[in-house]
Amino acid sequence: MSKLGTLGARLHRGEIGYDFVGKRKIWYGVSILITITAILGLAVRGLNMGIEFQGGAVFTTERTSVSVSQAETYAEEASGHDAIVQKLGNGGLRIQVAGVDTGKSDQIKKDLSKDLKVDPEKINADLVGPSWGDQIANKAWQGLAIFMVLVVIYLAIAFEWRMAAAALVALIHDITITVGVYALVGFEVTPGTVIGLLTILGYSLYDTVVVFDSLKEQTKDITKQTRYTYSEIADRSINGTLVRSINTTVVALLPVAGLLFIGGGVLGAGMLNDISLSLFVGLAAGAYSSIFIATPLVADLKEREPQIKALRKRVLAKRAAAAAKGESLEAPVVERSYDDEEPDDDATPAVVGPRAQRAQPSSRSRGRGRPSGKRR
Amino acid sequence: MAAPKKGRQGTQGRPGRTLALILIAIVALTGGMFASGHTTPRLGIDLAGGTSITLQAKNEPGQKNAINKTNMDTAVDIMNRRVNGLGVSEAEVQTQGDSNIIVNIPKGTNSEQAREQVGTTAKLYFRPVLVTEVTGADAATPSPSASGSSSASPSASAKESEKATSSSSPSASATSQGRAVTDALKADPTPSGSSTGSESAAASPSASASTDPATAKLQAEYTKLDCSKKTVRAKAGDGVKAGDPTVACGQNSQGQWQKYILGPAEVEGTDVDKASAVFDTQGAAGWKVTMDFTGKGGKKFASITGKLAQNQSPQNQFAIVLDGEVVSDPYVSQALTGGTAEISGSFDQQEAQDLANMLSYGALPLTFTEASVTTVTAALGGEQLEAGLIAGAIGLALVIIYLVVYYRGLSMIAIASLLVSAVMTYVIMSLLGPTIGFALNLPAVCGAIVAIGITADSFIVFFERIRDEIREGRRMRPAVERAWPRARRTILVSDFVSFLAAAVLFVVTVGKVQGFAFTLGLTTLLDVVVVFFFTKPLMTLLARRKFFAEGHSWSGLDPKRLGVQPPLRRTRRASAPVDTKEA
């Protein structure tokens, strides 16, 4: 079996183990690097704001034989402004003229229909005042702020403030990455993009919330045991929900990819494309951040709590004692194995982490993934 | 295994009954959809074709609080009158957000004209009334010389002056204005003789015999004018210059339509500096409207009232004409020279305020700028819809393929659930068209496609939970029942976040974003419904089937494929009874 195939099979069996929390510094670094790049890109290149934000008109025609450059000349003559012309998937043209007010558009439309020999009734015109895009953007920011506040409150109540804070950081992280990609690649920012960006909010958090939910469940009685530190359990949660995260992301990305490549491919630029592009970027960022950023951050924050600190001490002390006895009882780094621990939603205290029977040193973790047999 | 089963009966419920219920609900909804005749979702302007105009209210200096609900509603009202004057009954005008008005005009109308009508500030004129009568089916006996006292109102008076007994002093003065009047009347000395008894008789005693073509034309128009028809009404004053006489319709306080021949505009809306509704505590207590004119306007108004006051009814009235429609026709008893005037009558507060609003803002209570105008031909809109649907179908197909490959037999449940979800979304969208005016626009299509992912995620969460349980060595039925409470919580929590995002977006944002948010919120809710009332009961039922229960290698729950080794499971079951661990 190929390596990838093995990975797939192991994922399928839920055996994948990766020390997300332990290697968090690396991923924080990666994220900081990406974020800095994004901010730099934004500062240096800026965003390519679409016509909606400067005011102007977008005319879309049906299939026409007029070439792009010719249409450009026509449009510039008709409007007296610079025009951007794109060929669409269906053979039509998309002519974008900036700085045209809505009053002038009818005239331009008439001229264009004459030049391009297209029935004026067959030309779609999308005209926007210069303040419209700003208004949409302002409302979007406003919505974003309200949403963030509400979601932080909700997460703080449903989970705890640390998770709320981590989710917020992950969310900001996703938005920064998406905006950065837009700045660096130079995709046009339209209200469609804004819509897409706003949707990422829900999605990014959705993913994060699923991991947190599992984390909350697994750490319910964490202080009553001495086998695992919080970070290790956090790691287990990530690994435990990894298959779900991957599946969810794949399943969410598939329709979006359909929109992006097929919908957009047929029609060329347009709202479908704008929304799906920002969704695509944002979804990927969202999946990444919920795994590599949000949960490790929670673990980081949690480890500062006195009782979690105390737990860590106890766990380490126990491990040291065990090591001294020459019999290592615990796996310092938890690898994902199929759960052979007792169900953890009952009242028994030792609900977190695998049972002691299974304990092995980390060096032996290669042998993991199948029942050790020790348990019997 | 006996004990746990008993304990679990509660959580298991009656899956068959739940399934039957939801299927009945779906059939009922679908039946309702067909019964209502709305079998397709209403398409937004961007898909069906047409023109969508977004107008944004502008704050003007000195009127900080002008953008409020009342004023927006008034503006919508006025615009509605204007666009529907185009003869399009389907045009809709709605407020959106705090300061936007969206005007949607379906395809097939003159979008340029529509834009002119909607965007520009309405034309408000004060025109002298030459002839007026109620257009009604019943032609009352003419009472040409309604005798009576001249009305005693000291100032310009009643909106309902038609009702007031008219003064009958036959002193048609021969001002230029008066001549126009008499000329106009000449062509038809007893205007259709249909004025009802209470109406002022329009017959003017003047009789200069010249008939110029313009007058004749006006008279012909007047005769033809049928104010009971909306389209006719709206066209009445079209293209008439301020300086020309015109015909118009107006509604009197009884809601009857009244038609008018009106002289050239004497005072324009811009001449009014300010108008306000005042509650008159003295004299005839009630609401009245006071007007302050600009300097020039005051003079003009003084001159016209001076002239009008000398006329007899109805020619002592002036009509306040808004967009070709008479909104008020007070009559004048004396020249009003003070630069102020008041209109009294039996207004209620609302009427007085509306009138004052119209007068002071030149019809629209606010100034609007066109924020965006979108014209879409149906052909292109259809193409976009098609591309969207194709993309959605392909996306769905990819999701299905992925699910089948990964989840095998389980995917059947997911696919059935997705299907139910899709049917419900479609039916509800169709039904929401006529009920709340929901229109499927392109972003909404995107929202629906994106929702495929959200919906599928719920199944993934549930299935992964079940598989976790199987990995722990449980048999299928307990695994499903144990997995559900945990999956349920995860699904609810994450759907809540998703719904929260959609709700905030819907409330805060405007325009295209709103349609998207609505669809997203709707599908998130439906997702919860489907998972709870369809997926879970179906899963419970199927878990009893041999195919799933025994973990057939194509069921997606094959313990071997999931990495469970049968001996382990056996040991496990014996050593750890699961009944005590029930969630």
Side-chain angles (χ1 to χ4, degrees):
Chain A
M1 228 194 249
S2 70
K3 222 175 181 182
L4 200 69
T6 320
L7 182 72
R10 289 181 63 206
L11 268 178
H12 189 83
R13 289 196 293 270
E15 290 171 2
I16 277 294
Y18 179 84
D19 185 11
F20 292 101
V21 177
K23 296 191 180 135
R24 64 183 184 278
K25 296 252 161 65
I26 301 174
W27 295 108
Y28 288 171
V30 169
S31 279
I32 289 168
L33 209 67
I34 296 176
T35 311
I36 290 173
T37 318
I39 292 170
L40 275 181
L42 194 61
V44 175
R45 293 187 52 128
L47 286 171
N48 174 16
M49 297 306 250
I51 212 91
E52 285 83 355
F53 293 93
Q54 348 166 345
V58 180
F59 301 94
T60 324
T61 70
E62 287 200 316
R63 176 182 289 279
T64 166
S65 53
V66 176
S67 77
V68 168
S69 58
Q70 215 171 347
E72 211 159 288
T73 327
Y74 287 145
E76 272 161 25
E77 270 170 21
S79 64
H81 289 272
D82 283 346
I84 302 165
V85 180
Q86 290 164 284
K87 195 101 183 163
L88 297 182
N90 60 1
L93 294 174
R94 182 175 186 268
I95 302 162
Q96 195 176 302
V97 188
V100 175
D101 69 356
T102 45
K104 213 180 161 191
S105 67
D106 289 329
Q107 188 53 44
I108 300 175
K109 191 166 155 181
K110 262 185 213 141
D111 290 354
L112 274 177
S113 84
K114 231 182 277 161
D115 292 336
L116 302 175
K117 296 182 187 63
V118 179
D119 183 356
E121 290 297 307
K122 294 273 169 68
I123 297 183
N124 285 352
D126 204 340
L127 307 147
V128 279
S131 57
W132 182 231
D134 287 340
Q135 208 206 344
I136 287 190
N138 280 342
K139 294 273 180 189
W141 286 122
Q142 209 180 322
L144 183 68
I146 295 174
F147 175 69
M148 278 181 174
V149 170
L150 288 180
V151 110
V152 164
I153 293 173
Y154 172 71
L155 289 180
I157 293 170
F159 299 109
E160 57 173 312
W161 71 265
R162 287 172 194 84
M163 291 188 179
L168 191 64
V169 170
L171 187 63
I172 293 169
H173 169 264
D174 296 342
I175 292 171
T176 317
I177 290 187
T178 313
V179 171
V181 167
Y182 265 78
L184 289 171
V185 183
F187 294 133
E188 202 179 5
V189 178
T190 66
T193 314
V194 176
I195 294 176
L197 192 69
L198 292 170
T199 316
I200 298 167
L201 312 180
Y203 245 104
S204 160
L205 280 164
Y206 189 106
D207 236 24
T208 311
V209 162
V210 171
V211 184
F212 282 1
D213 192 50
S214 149
L215 180 61
K216 184 193 173 196
E217 190 185 304
Q218 296 207 30
T219 55
K220 205 163 70 184
D221 292 303
I222 188 166
T223 49
K224 293 180 188 159
Q225 53 88 47
T226 50
R227 293 191 181 92
Y228 295 98
T229 63
Y230 192 94
S231 298
E232 283 159 7
I233 304 231
D235 217 39
R236 286 175 51 82
S237 316
I238 302 175
N239 279 299
T241 48
L242 191 61
V243 180
R244 191 218 62 92
S245 293
I246 292 171
N247 280 353
T248 303
T249 308
V250 168
V251 164
L253 278 177
L254 285 177
V256 173
L259 267 186
L260 182 58
F261 297 114
I262 298 139
V266 173
L267 289 173
M271 178 156 271
L272 281 177
N273 225 7
D274 298 337
I275 297 181
S276 47
L277 184 63
S278 57
L279 273 179
F280 198 83
V281 178
L283 277 179
Y288 163 81
S289 72
S290 67
I291 294 169
F292 292 99
I293 305 298
T295 316
L297 257 180
V298 172
D300 251 359
L301 287 171
K302 270 299 228 190
E303 291 284 359
R304 279 162 212 207
E305 234 181 303
Q307 48 186 22
I308 301 293
K309 253 190 202 162
L311 169 74
R312 186 178 196 90
K313 253 184 215 156
R314 286 203 305 275
V315 170
L316 293 180
K318 199 177 172 201
R319 279 184 197 154
K325 267 192 256 166
E327 181 196 349
S328 93
L329 277 171
E330 304 300 332
V333 174
V334 176
E335 287 268 343
R336 164 77 192 182
S337 70
Y338 52 88
D339 293 348
D340 47 359
E341 85 268 42
E342 288 300 309
D344 48 10
D345 52 354
D346 59 0
T348 42
V351 289
V352 276
R355 290 279 182 210
Q357 306 99 296
R358 215 199 49 180
Q360 292 144 324
S362 59
S363 56
R364 286 176 55 191
S365 62
R366 259 169 303 147
R368 288 309 197 73
R370 49 174 181 71
S372 64
K374 265 190 181 176
R375 59 200 340 280
R376 270 194 253 172
Chain B
M1 287 305 284
K5 245 190 234 161
K6 231 177 249 162
R8 228 161 274 128
Q9 217 63 29
T11 54
Q12 231 162 310
R14 294 194 179 83
R17 188 183 283 187
T18 316
L19 268 183
L21 268 179
I22 187 122
L23 290 178
I24 288 169
I26 291 169
V27 169
L29 273 176
T30 316
M33 178 180 84
F34 281 109
S36 72
H38 299 277
T39 49
T40 48
R42 217 160 58 90
L43 292 183
I45 286 294
D46 60 348
L47 290 177
T51 307
S52 175
I53 305 168
T54 307
L55 296 159
Q56 198 182 339
K58 276 269 178 278
N59 255 322
E60 280 186 68
Q63 299 172 359
K64 282 269 180 279
N65 301 315
I67 301 179
N68 55 38
K69 193 167 180 309
T70 319
N71 281 346
M72 290 296 285
D73 287 346
T74 312
V76 165
D77 216 48
I78 293 164
M79 283 184 197
N80 215 338
R81 212 157 41 193
R82 288 193 209 164
V83 277
N84 285 327
L86 293 170
V88 203
S89 53
E90 287 157 52
E92 42 171 51
V93 185
Q94 308 166 310
T95 50
Q96 206 185 40
D98 307 329
S99 61
N100 292 296
I101 289 179
I102 299 248
V103 183
N104 284 332
I105 303 150
K107 64 187 163 181
T109 27
N110 187 337
S111 57
E112 275 171 52
Q113 197 193 341
R115 273 186 47 200
E116 273 167 29
Q117 296 256 346
V118 168
T120 51
T121 304
K123 292 169 193 106
L124 179 77
Y125 296 121
F126 292 71
R127 289 170 179 272
V129 174
L130 303 187
V131 178
T132 176
E133 64 176 300
V134 166
T135 62
D138 58 313
T141 49
S143 59
S145 62
S147 66
S149 57
S150 61
S151 107
S153 168
S155 63
S157 156
K159 181 190 179 189
E160 300 170 60
S161 57
E162 311 86 276
K163 267 199 307 186
T165 48
S166 50
S167 93
S168 58
S169 62
S171 62
S173 68
T175 57
S176 60
Q177 182 56 39
R179 199 154 49 231
V181 171
T182 51
D183 281 353
L185 290 171
K186 220 258 101 235
D188 186 4
T190 46
S192 71
S194 67
S195 19
T196 54
S198 66
E199 299 307 314
S200 55
S204 153
S206 89
S208 90
S210 64
T211 0
D212 67 81
T215 316
K217 192 169 157 267
L218 198 65
Q219 189 58 48
E221 269 180 44
Y222 179 74
T223 315
K224 243 177 30 199
L225 188 63
D226 178 5
C227 285
S228 57
K229 286 192 189 127
K230 213 174 181 180
T231 48
V232 177
R233 264 201 323 268
K235 275 205 188 115
D238 267 7
V240 177
K241 289 195 198 86
D244 289 338
T246 181
V247 293
C249 294
Q251 213 163 9
N252 66 24
S253 59
Q254 282 103 48
Q256 288 165 302
W257 285 101
Q258 185 143 1
K259 59 180 179 176
Y260 300 83
I261 297 182
L262 302 171
E266 297 283 331
V267 180
E268 293 182 20
T270 47
D271 292 329
V272 181
D273 185 34
K274 194 175 101 197
S276 39
V278 188
F279 188 75
D280 190 359
T281 46
Q282 302 158 359
W287 285 93
K288 62 182 184 180
V289 177
T290 60
M291 291 183 283
D292 289 329
F293 290 95
T294 58
K296 210 175 77 189
K299 272 178 216 136
K300 281 200 262 180
F301 192 71
S303 117
I304 185 180
T305 46
K307 277 183 267 173
L308 287 178
Q310 293 162 33
N311 290 354
Q312 66 167 154
S313 177
Q315 287 154 37
N316 62 349
Q317 290 173 283
F318 65 87
I320 299 171
V321 186
L322 170 67
D323 280 337
E325 197 174 297
V326 177
V327 291
S328 181
D329 56 353
Y331 71 91
V332 183
S333 51
Q334 62 184 70
L336 297 166
T337 49
T340 61
E342 51 180 59
I343 307 170
S344 55
S346 45
F347 295 119
D348 61 25
Q349 183 176 2
Q350 191 57 47
E351 284 169 344
Q353 265 163 4
D354 284 351
L355 183 59
N357 254 341
M358 288 178 192
L359 289 169
S360 40
Y361 294 100
L364 282 179
L366 300 160
T367 322
F368 288 90
T369 52
E370 279 178 339
S372 82
V373 181
T374 312
T375 59
V376 180
T377 68
L380 265 183
E383 230 167 68
Q384 294 190 35
L385 179 62
E386 206 174 285
L389 291 181
I390 291 173
I394 292 176
L396 194 61
L398 289 173
V399 168
I400 287 174
I401 291 171
Y402 184 84
L403 288 174
V404 167
V405 167
Y406 196 84
Y407 286 113
R408 307 214 169 178
L410 276 184
S411 66
M412 292 304 133
I413 294 166
I415 291 163
S417 309
L418 278 174
L419 210 68
V420 166
S421 192
V423 168
M424 285 179 83
T425 311
Y426 182 85
V427 170
I428 287 176
M429 276 181 176
S430 301
L431 285 173
L432 283 181
T435 45
I436 63 161
F438 170 77
L440 191 67
N441 55 14
L442 203 55
V445 173
C446 284
I449 293 170
V450 167
I452 296 173
I454 291 188
T455 309
D457 180 72
S458 301
F459 313 141
I460 293 176
V461 168
F462 188 27
F463 294 164
E464 284 304 325
R465 280 296 195 183
I466 295 175
R467 294 174 135 202
D468 280 348
E469 299 296 330
I470 299 269
R471 279 188 202 112
E472 282 182 23
R474 288 200 179 82
R475 285 185 148 250
M476 183 65 187
R477 284 179 65 176
V480 168
E481 297 316 314
R482 281 186 55 88
W484 174 240
R486 303 170 172 198
R488 182 177 59 197
R489 200 187 57 199
T490 311
I491 291 168
L492 282 180
V493 168
S494 47
D495 269 349
F496 178 81
V497 169
S498 202
F499 185 77
L500 190 66
V504 169
L505 281 188
F506 183 77
V507 172
V508 172
T509 56
V510 288
K512 293 158 179 169
V513 189
Q514 235 178 1
F516 181 81
F518 184 86
T519 319
L520 207 60
L522 177 72
T523 46
T524 308
L525 282 183
L526 279 177
D527 172 44
V528 175
V529 171
V530 168
V531 168
F532 271 68
F533 298 106
F534 185 80
T535 313
K536 166 64 181 35
L538 186 66
M539 190 74 227
T540 307
L541 276 186
L542 288 180
R544 297 173 184 172
R545 300 242 148 228
K546 215 177 132 199
F547 178 76
F548 285 105
E550 308 218 322
H552 188 278
S553 62
W554 277 101
S555 69
L557 290 165
D558 179 7
K560 243 180 272 168
R561 286 183 59 90
L562 292 172
V564 179
Q565 287 185 353
L568 170 68
R569 197 170 62 167
R570 226 176 294 127
T571 319
R572 174 73 175 198
R573 249 186 287 132
S575 66
V578 285
D579 53 334
T580 55
K581 314 295 193 292
E582 190 47 73

